[in-house]
Amino acid sequence: MARLRSLLGGSGEATVTRRLAGTVFIIRLVSAALAYLSQILLARWMSGSDYGVYVYVWTWVLLLGSMMDFGISVSAQKLIPEYRTRGEHALLRGFLSGSRWMTFAVSAMVALLLAGAVRLLSPFIEAGAIVPLTIGCLALPAFVVANTQDGIARSHDWMRLALMPQFIVRQTLIIGLTAGAIALGFHLGATAAMLASAAAVWIAMIGQLLTLNRRLSGHVEPGPKAYDFRGWLAISLPILMVEGFYLLLSYTDVLVLQQFRPSEEVGVYFAVVKTLALVSFIHYAMSATTAHRFAEYHALGDRARLSAYVAHAINWTFWPSLAATILLLAFGKPLLWLFGPQFVTGYDIMFVAAIGLVVRSAIGPVERLLNMLGHQHICALAYALAFVMNVALCVALVPRFGGHGAAAATSISLTFETVLLFWIVRSRLGLHVLAFGKRG
């Protein structure tokens, strides 16, 4: 208990970061439990093919929804601290409102175009996926605005407001709505599951919007607003490339697997990925709590403070990730069995997929460091190269080895990405960004 109090008590920067990261991790952990429960229930309530279609469509929603905010959700953690540090309050007020309107308007137009494309391409799409894909398009604007609000809330250290609507409220609503449909005697196919998911996205986003506006009204003084759309996009679009290639790298395995293997095999692989999600949550927690501080310390010109903070973030990413990986691998079989007895066949895939996650955690949230310090272009190039490698390896390995090939391709690509990012930070910033080894 004394050790725990020393870790979480106090008011120093490192302590505050650990406490906020702990909050983020707990939210993601509860979210993981809810998501895990929802996937188990959906896998048991739906046929294998319907569940595979739902996983495929929901993966597209996650991928596109996370990219269609132009990188604003991440750049908010750079722009808001800089505006506050420089006293540019008009630009701050303009960004807090204008960024959300901009992302909503454009994502709504793109969603309508995508829905039209689904209709035009319907002869070439699996019949059971057409309506779920259309519903997924209609969920995108709410998903994008929620991501934008996430970045704004994080920049104010409002971690619960940033994450709970998307990760707790949304998952709870998906479970409640699908369970209600089952209780009322409806057949739960991919279409009904996507309707429930889309409704959950919109309800959670609107609740977050109302709460965020109320919090901002008490935190930011009213006054004139200035809109620097061009400046925002100049910073955000390269970050979008980083985030986009990262997301493509994350979802390529599932999307390629869907093209070459049966839907039932996609469902098994998705269960493996969900089971290992706890490891990536640790990285996510540190990224969420450190990015805006990287930008703040850089804006203040305090290199010593920045270097110490980076080292702290890396250590608190790698060692917990390693421990979580060992724990998950030890209990992998019973965890997969919760999805259904047939999902246990994916247990050995877990070991292959875990390699890449552990290697990537060894350098911590350095992609956020590069983005916040103005090196987003070279960071985007590193992610692009890793993505291209992942696609090539998936196409080469998945048709023959299925889920094992997808896991191997992703682990190799993550290792390649880690080496590139380590070299970039070492050469450009002069920082040692491994959780072990001599720092110089």
Side-chain angles (χ1 to χ4, degrees):
M1 291 301 295
R3 177 64 174 164
L4 184 61
R5 283 194 295 270
S6 70
L7 289 174
L8 300 180
S11 57
E13 295 160 355
T15 302
V16 170
T17 298
R18 287 196 295 268
R19 191 159 55 237
L20 290 173
T23 300
V24 173
F25 180 73
I26 290 170
I27 291 173
R28 289 306 307 263
L29 190 61
V30 174
S31 166
L34 289 171
Y36 210 67
L37 176 62
S38 69
Q39 295 303 321
I40 290 169
L41 294 174
L42 290 174
R44 289 183 173 269
W45 289 341
M46 302 164 68
S47 67
S49 59
D50 268 331
Y51 180 67
V53 169
Y54 172 78
V55 166
Y56 176 66
V57 175
W58 187 242
T59 299
W60 273 114
V61 172
L62 295 175
L63 174 60
L64 295 175
S66 299
M67 292 174 59
M68 285 168 57
D69 65 352
F70 307 111
I72 289 288
S73 61
V74 178
S75 64
Q77 297 167 74
K78 173 179 173 64
L79 291 167
I80 291 174
E82 288 181 351
Y83 288 155
R84 283 199 302 246
T85 302
R86 298 170 185 165
E88 297 173 336
H89 300 298
L91 282 169
L92 174 61
R93 286 187 288 266
F95 180 81
L96 292 175
S97 61
S99 60
R100 287 182 282 173
W101 280 112
M102 179 178 68
T103 54
F104 175 76
V106 177
S107 63
M109 288 188 291
V110 173
L112 290 175
L113 290 174
L114 288 173
V118 169
R119 185 174 180 83
L120 288 174
L121 297 173
S122 57
F124 308 99
I125 299 174
E126 182 181 344
I130 295 173
V131 176
L133 281 169
T134 304
I135 296 169
C137 293
L138 300 180
L140 286 174
F143 199 102
V144 171
V145 173
N147 282 343
T148 305
Q149 294 178 156
D150 179 325
I152 292 172
R154 285 191 216 180
S155 301
H156 293 84
D157 284 337
W158 299 335
M159 297 302 168
R160 283 176 291 182
L161 177 57
L163 303 177
M164 287 189 70
Q166 294 194 74
F167 296 111
I168 304 296
V169 176
R170 186 170 70 195
Q171 292 293 345
T172 303
L173 285 170
I174 290 174
I175 294 172
L177 291 172
T178 51
I182 291 291
L184 292 173
F186 290 101
H187 168 69
L188 189 64
T191 298
M194 276 308 304
L195 278 172
S197 300
V201 170
W202 275 97
I203 294 169
M205 183 277 289
I206 292 171
Q208 183 188 44
L209 172 70
L210 297 175
T211 306
L212 180 61
N213 285 345
R214 185 172 66 250
R215 293 281 291 273
L216 288 173
S217 66
H219 189 79
V220 180
E221 294 183 1
K225 298 178 181 179
Y227 301 95
D228 183 18
F229 292 108
R230 180 175 295 180
W232 300 343
L233 291 175
I235 293 172
S236 300
L237 290 177
I239 293 177
L240 170 63
M241 293 178 65
V242 175
E243 295 297 304
F245 283 122
Y246 170 75
L247 289 166
L248 288 169
L249 182 62
S250 301
Y251 294 124
T252 296
D253 48 0
V254 175
L255 297 177
V256 174
L257 200 62
Q258 174 71 24
Q259 302 304 315
F260 291 103
R261 309 294 285 199
S263 294
E264 290 81 358
E265 190 170 339
V266 178
V268 170
Y269 185 82
F270 192 73
V272 170
V273 173
K274 283 294 182 183
T275 303
L276 286 172
L278 178 65
V279 180
S280 59
F281 290 168
I282 297 168
H283 186 282
Y284 179 89
M286 290 308 299
S287 297
T289 53
T290 56
H292 60 290
R293 284 188 169 80
F294 292 154
E296 179 184 348
Y297 300 157
H298 180 63
L300 293 171
D302 195 338
R303 180 175 173 82
R305 198 174 171 190
L306 175 64
S307 179
Y309 193 72
V310 169
H312 174 81
I314 292 168
N315 281 324
W316 278 83
T317 301
F318 175 69
W319 298 110
S321 295
L322 180 61
T325 301
I326 294 171
L327 187 66
L328 288 171
L329 291 177
F331 293 96
K333 278 192 176 181
L335 288 172
L336 288 173
W337 180 86
L338 294 173
F339 285 83
Q342 71 273 24
F343 287 86
V344 178
T345 58
Y347 178 59
D348 51 346
I349 299 176
M350 289 182 67
F351 289 85
V352 182
I355 294 172
L357 294 174
V358 173
V359 171
R360 181 61 185 84
S361 70
I363 60 172
V366 296
E367 75 286 350
R368 289 287 192 267
L369 175 68
L370 290 169
N371 287 338
M372 296 301 105
L373 271 59
H375 298 280
Q376 56 266 36
H377 293 86
I378 189 69
C379 186
L381 178 60
Y383 274 89
L385 292 174
F387 164 66
V388 171
M389 174 180 281
N390 197 20
V391 172
L393 289 173
C394 279
V395 171
L397 298 177
V398 165
R400 182 175 178 183
F401 299 105
H404 294 82
T410 302
S411 284
I412 294 170
S413 301
L414 286 174
T415 301
F416 174 70
E417 172 202 304
T418 301
V419 173
L420 281 181
L421 291 176
F422 173 83
W423 175 77
I424 291 168
V425 175
R426 187 74 170 179
S427 60
R428 293 209 168 197
L429 303 178
L431 297 175
H432 179 87
V433 289
L434 274 179
F436 41 83
K438 184 177 179 181
R439 299 185 183 278

